[in-house]
Amino acid sequence: MKKSLFSALAVFLFSTAAALADDSGDFYEDLLITDEVRAEENSDIAVENARRLLDEKPQLMQIKNQKIIKLPQREKNKTANTGEQIHKYGSAPFGLFWGASVKNTRALGVELRETGQKDYVNSYTANLLPKPLKDFRTVVLTFGEEDELWRIIAYGRLLKDNAQAGKVMEEYNKFYKLLDTKYGNARQFYTPKITNVDKTVDLGKGKTQTVTEKREEPIGGENFLKELQSGEAVLYATFENGKVGAALAVNVDGDGRSYITVDYRNLQILKDREQAKLDAL
């Protein structure tokens, strides 16, 4: 599996993203897909997710009550603290705003808890989102050293799936269509498991020969769940509109539970940061 991290070079390449959109095959793959999209790297997040899943119903009731109590103050702060971000970078998923600071995001009523995500500075797990989706169990926000929301990664519900990974593929196909509608430029990437198959070839005159052929296992094959879990098969898709990029991936954890991830990145913020560095040189 290809390791892709946001190095300084990768960030610099965002400044030419719009120009390369038409022939950006591996370009957006490198920028939008990381190992973290395909598997949760932080064990603390995994433990927290499991605990949250066990207490799902009580938590939902608690969130509802907190929203009712805090709603008036949240709306007031939303107008006072996020106008500049709305104007410059626009709305983000889950009712958030690209470019907003940690303080301004909390002013929306969002509960932020620091998380030690590898290679992503100033990251928080987010609860009490303005527009939560039940399809996702955990949402992580990254603000970076500049204290601007530039990345959002959402982890889907853990599914007890069948051998063909049918349930997670339903989720994947549903969000593929939604993300394509919103951002466009959909591109799917599939790395199949390769199986060696022995085949007997008739050479004529009563002679035969055994040859080995390589067979690519299909998406949704009889052992697709295990192939995804082992990393022998990889499936993901990227979307982008020049300002925001999103990567949708299918994952399976160590217990055989499947889930999707959606990794959003604001390309405009990254280009602006790089431009500021160039101007200072």
Side-chain angles (χ1 to χ4, degrees):
M1 187 180 297
K2 184 176 179 182
K3 180 125 179 122
S4 305
L5 297 174
F6 260 85
S7 61
L9 176 60
V11 174
F12 174 75
L13 288 175
F14 269 111
S15 62
T16 60
L20 295 176
D22 291 337
D23 58 349
S24 57
D26 295 332
F27 178 75
Y28 281 107
E29 177 184 359
D30 291 342
L31 294 179
L32 296 176
I33 292 293
T34 65
D35 286 347
E36 185 186 12
V37 172
R38 302 168 187 137
E40 295 178 66
E41 295 177 303
N42 190 293
S43 59
D44 291 337
I45 293 179
V47 172
E48 181 180 344
N49 289 339
R51 183 168 58 249
R52 182 176 302 153
L53 211 62
L54 290 174
D55 300 329
E56 184 177 3
K57 290 184 179 179
Q59 282 194 350
L60 287 175
M61 182 63 68
Q62 181 181 3
I63 289 172
K64 181 178 180 181
N65 292 337
Q66 290 180 9
K67 279 188 176 181
I68 294 174
I69 294 172
K70 295 184 177 182
L71 183 58
Q73 184 63 35
R74 182 183 304 157
E75 291 300 321
K76 178 180 178 181
N77 289 335
K78 177 177 178 179
T79 302
N81 294 293
T82 60
E84 182 178 345
Q85 285 76 17
I86 296 173
H87 176 73
K88 189 171 184 180
Y89 294 116
S91 299
F94 306 107
L96 303 172
F97 299 97
W98 292 118
S101 66
V102 171
K103 180 180 179 181
N104 286 342
T105 301
R106 281 182 167 140
L108 296 175
V110 179
E111 179 184 280
L112 298 178
R113 184 177 301 174
E114 287 190 51
T115 178
Q117 281 221 331
K118 184 179 178 181
D119 302 310
Y120 293 99
V121 178
N122 207 9
S123 291
Y124 300 80
T125 56
N127 294 309
L128 304 181
L129 293 163
K131 295 181 180 179
L133 289 175
K134 64 179 181 180
D135 305 89
F136 299 100
R137 58 192 158 94
T138 300
V139 175
V140 177
L141 313 181
T142 300
F143 296 84
E145 294 178 354
E146 294 82 359
D147 193 18
E148 294 177 319
L149 178 60
W150 69 272
R151 177 183 185 246
I152 301 172
I153 182 167
Y155 298 91
R157 297 169 297 175
L158 294 171
L159 304 171
K160 188 175 181 180
D161 219 330
N162 55 34
Q164 295 78 32
K167 292 182 180 179
V168 76
M169 285 307 301
E170 286 183 12
E171 290 288 284
Y172 173 84
N173 290 328
K174 177 176 70 175
F175 280 94
Y176 185 101
K177 293 177 181 178
L178 292 171
L179 292 168
D180 187 26
T181 298
K182 184 166 185 178
Y183 299 107
N185 295 306
R187 302 195 67 208
Q188 179 169 282
F189 301 85
Y190 175 54
T191 302
K193 175 186 177 181
I194 303 298
T195 301
N196 292 324
V197 179
D198 291 334
K199 183 178 180 180
T200 300
V201 178
D202 186 358
L203 301 178
K205 296 182 180 181
K207 296 182 178 180
T208 61
Q209 181 180 352
T210 300
V211 297
T212 300
E213 295 183 346
K214 294 184 180 298
R215 182 181 68 195
E216 294 185 356
E217 299 297 337
I219 295 174
E222 60 182 11
N223 295 309
F224 192 47
L225 188 72
K226 289 184 177 180
E227 293 165 11
L228 290 168
Q229 184 181 33
S230 66
E232 295 172 291
V234 178
L235 176 64
Y236 60 90
T238 61
F239 314 82
E240 60 82 23
N241 61 7
K243 294 183 178 180
V244 176
L248 168 67
V250 177
N251 312 266
V252 180
D253 70 7
D255 295 323
R257 297 174 298 181
S258 61
Y259 61 98
I260 62 168
T261 55
V262 184
D263 190 344
Y264 302 90
R265 298 162 190 249
N266 191 290
L267 310 182
Q268 187 61 51
I269 290 177
L270 295 173
K271 288 189 284 187
D272 288 350
R273 288 180 184 176
E274 193 57 37
Q275 187 59 49
K277 292 179 183 179
L278 291 174
D279 292 344
L281 293 176

